[in-house]
Amino acid sequence: MADITLQVAGRSYTVSARDEDMPHLRALEARIGRHAEAAMRAGGTQGGERTLLYLALILADALDEAERKPAPAAVVPDGLLDRIADRLEAVAEALEERDATS
């Protein structure tokens, strides 16, 4: 484990993390940073704790919105369903033939 210092809404926070998690934490820090200015404006002069509350609300709202969106439909390559159907029919025929000879 190593320590990493993250900048959140103008404050520094040091946390422990595995080396392989460092790039992900930096990406999260950047994502938080994109919303920090709005949170600091909303928090006004009431201090860092209030800013962090607004930042948490902004991020929770974004997460809620993302979770409400339906998952994109899977793209099935042309002809794939036909090939699967053909194979299933072949398997069914083979089973029927086996049952008939048993």
Side-chain angles (χ1 to χ4, degrees):
M1 296 285 265
D3 287 344
I4 182 172
T5 301
L6 303 173
Q7 298 293 321
V8 177
R11 292 184 171 201
S12 297
Y13 299 91
T14 301
V15 297
S16 294
R18 296 177 299 187
D19 289 339
E20 61 268 21
D21 291 335
M22 299 289 185
H24 182 64
L25 288 171
R26 288 290 178 210
L28 293 175
E29 175 186 41
R31 180 173 290 205
I32 291 168
R34 289 193 294 272
H35 301 285
E37 186 178 326
M40 289 188 298
R41 279 194 315 267
T45 60
Q46 297 183 9
E49 186 175 305
R50 188 74 163 201
T51 298
L52 290 178
L53 169 65
Y54 282 110
L55 186 55
L57 290 171
I58 291 167
L59 293 172
D61 184 53
L63 176 61
D64 181 63
E65 184 178 324
E67 288 176 342
R68 288 177 188 259
K69 288 182 184 177
V75 177
V76 179
D78 291 339
L80 177 62
L81 294 177
D82 290 334
R83 290 193 306 271
I84 291 171
D86 290 343
R87 285 188 175 185
L88 289 173
E89 287 176 14
V91 168
E93 288 174 13
L95 290 173
E96 287 173 2
E97 287 176 15
R98 187 190 75 182
D99 289 344
T101 59
S102 298

